[in-house]
Amino acid sequence: MRIAVIGGGISGLVAAYRLRQRLGDDADIVVVEQGARVGGVLRTGELAGEPLDLGAEAFVGRRPEVIELMTELGIEDQLVRPAGKRPLVWARGQAHPLPGRTLMGIPSDADSLRGLVDEETLARVATEPRRPLDWEPGGDVDVQSLVADRFGPQVVARSVDPLLGGVYAGISASIGIRAALPTLAAALDRGATSLTEAVRQAMPAPSSEPVFGGLRDGYGALLAALTTASAARIVTTLAATRIAAASRGWVVDPLGLVDAVVLATPAPVTARLLHFVAPEAAAAAAGIDLSSSALVALALPRDTELPDNSGILVATGEPLRAKAFTLSSRKWPHLAEREVALVRASFGRFGDESPLSWTDDDLVAAAVADLTTVTGVPIAPLDAVVQRWPGGLPQYAPGHTARIATLESALAPLDGLAVAGAYLHGVGVPACVATGTAAATRIATTLATRAG
C-alpha cells in the first residue's frame, strides 16, 4: 500500500503521522516536498548560537490539537507559556496600550480605546448601539467595511489592522468577517442589533487558562518528532507536477501509481494539481490569494532597555516600514534566560511584497531604525538573521467559507483523495494539525472500505 502526501509542511507531516498510526508499519508513506526542507512556513533557525523560530512562534493553547500531539509524540516537556505581558500599539507617533475587551481589535466599548483614537471616534463608538444595523444573515463583508462604517477608520487603522496583520499578514480590507471571526458572524446572524452587542456576544468567556503556547526549542522539535514518528519517506526538492485518476488509485507524477493522495499544498499549487481531476475544486482554490512577509530576528545586548511588553504592533498609515515587533525576551520566560535580548521584526502586508525584494542588510537596517523609533533607545544588534516568506499565508477574503465548502463538496466523491492546509479552516498551527488529521482519517477510511 502506497500513499503520497504532497507537501511537507505541518499539515502534510501530521497527515503522514496519522496515516502511519492508522495503516501500520507496512504502508509506504511518501512525503513529497518541493523545497529543500520540511516544515513549510514553520522554521526554527539559529540566532546568537541558540534556536529561535523564524516563522510562527506560538499557537492558540486553548485549542487542544498541538498540546495533544506533543503529548502523543513524547515531547510534552517542550511546552512553554508566555509571560502574560500585553503588547503596545504604535499610532500617531507614540506607543499606546493595546485596547482590552476587544475581538481581534474590534471594541466592545468606547473606553477601551481612550487615548488611541480621537474624541469624535470615541463618541461614534459609544453611540453605535443606537444606530440601525444593516446585516443580512448568512452574509459576509470584509472586516474593514463593517468596522469603519460602525466605528470609524481610526478604529480600523489603530486597533483592528495591527492585530489582523499579525495573524494573516494582511489587512482588514482583505479579510472576511465570516471566516476570520466566525463567532462575530454568528452573533450578527442571530440578530444582534449593533456591532457592539455582537462583539460582546462573540468574545470568549473569561478563563484563567493561558491563551497561547510555544515550544522551548522551537517548532523544529515538533517537526523532527513528527518526521520520526511518521516513518515516512521524505523526498525534498521534488515537485509533484500532475495527478490523475487510475482504476484503483492515483497516478502522481513523478512518483507513479499510488493508492491514495493527500494534497497538503498551498492553495495555488492545489488548484494546479486539481485542474483536470476536479475543475470545480480547482477553481475554488485558485481564488484564494496569498500574502507574503519577511522577518528579521535581532540579538541585542541583554541590558537593552526594551519596553516591558510582549511586542509593539504598528497601526496602518504610520511612517514605519515594519508592521510589528515581538519582544521575544519579554514575551517568553524561557527566552529571557538567554545571554542576549531577542526581538523579531515583521515586514509586509497583503498587496505589498516590496520588503521581500530588499537585501538582508536593508531589512536589518530598517528593523533597527524602526525599533529605535518605537522604543526610544539605541539598538545595537550583536547578531541578526533574515527570513523571507513569499506566499506564506492565505487570505480569508469575504466568501471564503462558501468557497471552501464548494471545494470540499467537489472533492467528496473522489475516492482516495484528500486535502489539508492553512487555506481551509484556519491559518494557525492547531487548525493545520486538524486538517492533516481529517485528511488522514478520510484516506484511511477509504482504504479500509476498499479492503473490505
Side-chain angles (χ1 to χ4, degrees):
M1 184 182 299
R2 193 181 191 205
I3 300 95
V5 177
I6 312 301
I10 184 67
S11 303
L13 292 179
V14 168
Y17 167 61
R18 297 298 188 200
L19 284 165
R20 178 64 67 200
Q21 286 182 308
R22 288 158 173 74
L23 302 179
D25 295 339
D26 293 337
D28 181 16
I29 302 169
V30 187
V31 176
V32 178
E33 167 55 46
Q34 67 176 357
R37 62 172 186 86
V38 296
V41 296
L42 300 182
R43 183 192 170 203
T44 303
E46 185 178 287
L47 182 65
E50 297 194 72
L52 184 72
D53 278 319
L54 302 178
E57 58 156 11
F59 56 86
V60 177
R62 291 176 181 173
R63 285 192 61 154
E65 291 90 348
V66 175
I67 294 175
E68 289 178 355
L69 183 62
M70 291 170 64
T71 302
E72 285 181 42
L73 295 168
I75 59 169
E76 61 268 32
D77 63 329
Q78 284 279 342
L79 177 64
V80 291
R81 299 290 193 175
K85 301 179 189 298
R86 296 276 293 171
L88 300 168
V89 178
W90 182 262
R92 296 183 298 165
Q94 57 183 326
H96 306 263
L98 181 74
R101 305 188 301 280
T102 75
L103 183 70
M104 197 61 74
I106 307 175
S108 60
D109 60 65
D111 283 344
S112 64
L113 298 171
R114 195 167 299 280
L116 182 61
V117 300
D118 62 24
E119 290 298 323
E120 182 181 348
T121 300
L122 288 176
R124 188 167 177 175
V125 175
T127 58
E128 188 268 340
R130 301 202 290 269
R131 298 196 303 274
L133 175 66
D134 181 19
W135 176 264
E136 173 112 16
D140 200 7
V141 298
D142 64 89
V143 177
Q144 181 189 71
S145 295
L146 179 62
V147 177
D149 175 64
R150 303 301 296 180
F151 294 146
Q154 289 186 11
V155 176
V156 173
R158 301 176 189 177
S159 185
V160 179
D161 274 350
L163 283 165
L164 278 176
V167 176
Y168 293 97
I171 56 176
S172 55
S174 66
I175 304 297
I177 289 283
R178 191 160 295 278
L181 299 165
T183 58
L184 181 62
L188 291 167
D189 288 347
R190 289 194 301 266
T193 58
S194 68
L195 182 56
T196 301
E197 179 187 342
V199 170
R200 289 174 180 168
Q201 291 180 17
M203 288 176 65
S207 172
S208 60
E209 290 294 311
V211 177
F212 297 106
L215 283 90
R216 184 187 65 239
D217 298 325
Y219 271 114
L222 177 60
L223 299 174
L226 277 171
T227 301
T228 299
S230 72
R233 288 194 290 135
I234 308 290
V235 183
T236 56
T237 63
L238 182 68
T241 56
R242 182 182 72 101
I243 63 172
S247 57
R248 282 183 66 84
W250 296 85
V251 174
V252 177
D253 289 340
L255 282 184
L257 184 65
V258 298
D259 294 282
V261 182
V262 174
L263 296 182
T265 45
V269 178
T270 303
R272 176 170 53 79
L273 292 174
L274 292 176
H275 181 72
F276 293 107
V277 298
E280 187 179 11
I288 299 171
D289 290 321
L290 304 182
S291 181
S292 300
S293 61
L295 182 136
V296 177
L298 302 173
L300 310 176
R302 185 169 180 170
D303 60 356
T304 303
E305 295 181 1
L306 298 171
D308 192 23
N309 297 88
S310 61
I312 305 168
L313 309 176
V314 179
T316 51
E318 294 295 308
L320 297 178
R321 290 151 293 184
K323 68 176 182 181
F325 297 92
T326 303
L327 306 179
S328 303
S329 296
R330 299 283 193 258
K331 181 175 181 178
W332 299 100
H334 71 289
L335 296 181
E337 298 172 359
R338 296 191 180 179
E339 294 303 312
V340 293
L342 300 170
V343 176
R344 302 181 352 144
S346 301
F347 296 82
R349 285 186 169 97
F350 178 67
D352 178 16
E353 298 191 356
S354 59
L356 272 72
S357 66
W358 301 351
T359 66
D360 285 5
D361 287 345
D362 286 344
L363 279 165
V364 172
V368 169
D370 286 356
L371 185 59
T372 299
T373 296
V374 299
T375 61
V377 302
I379 300 298
L382 304 171
D383 195 8
V385 62
V386 173
Q387 175 69 53
R388 292 171 179 80
W389 294 114
L393 283 175
Q395 298 298 286
Y396 280 33
H400 184 82
T401 53
R403 185 183 299 279
I404 296 305
T406 297
L407 184 152
E408 292 180 330
S409 177
L411 293 181
L414 299 183
D415 185 38
L417 177 65
V419 293
Y423 66 92
L424 292 169
H425 302 292
V427 298
V429 175
C432 291
V433 171
T435 67
T437 298
T441 299
R442 172 175 162 84
I443 295 301
T445 301
T446 294
L447 296 176
T449 301
R450 281 188 202 165

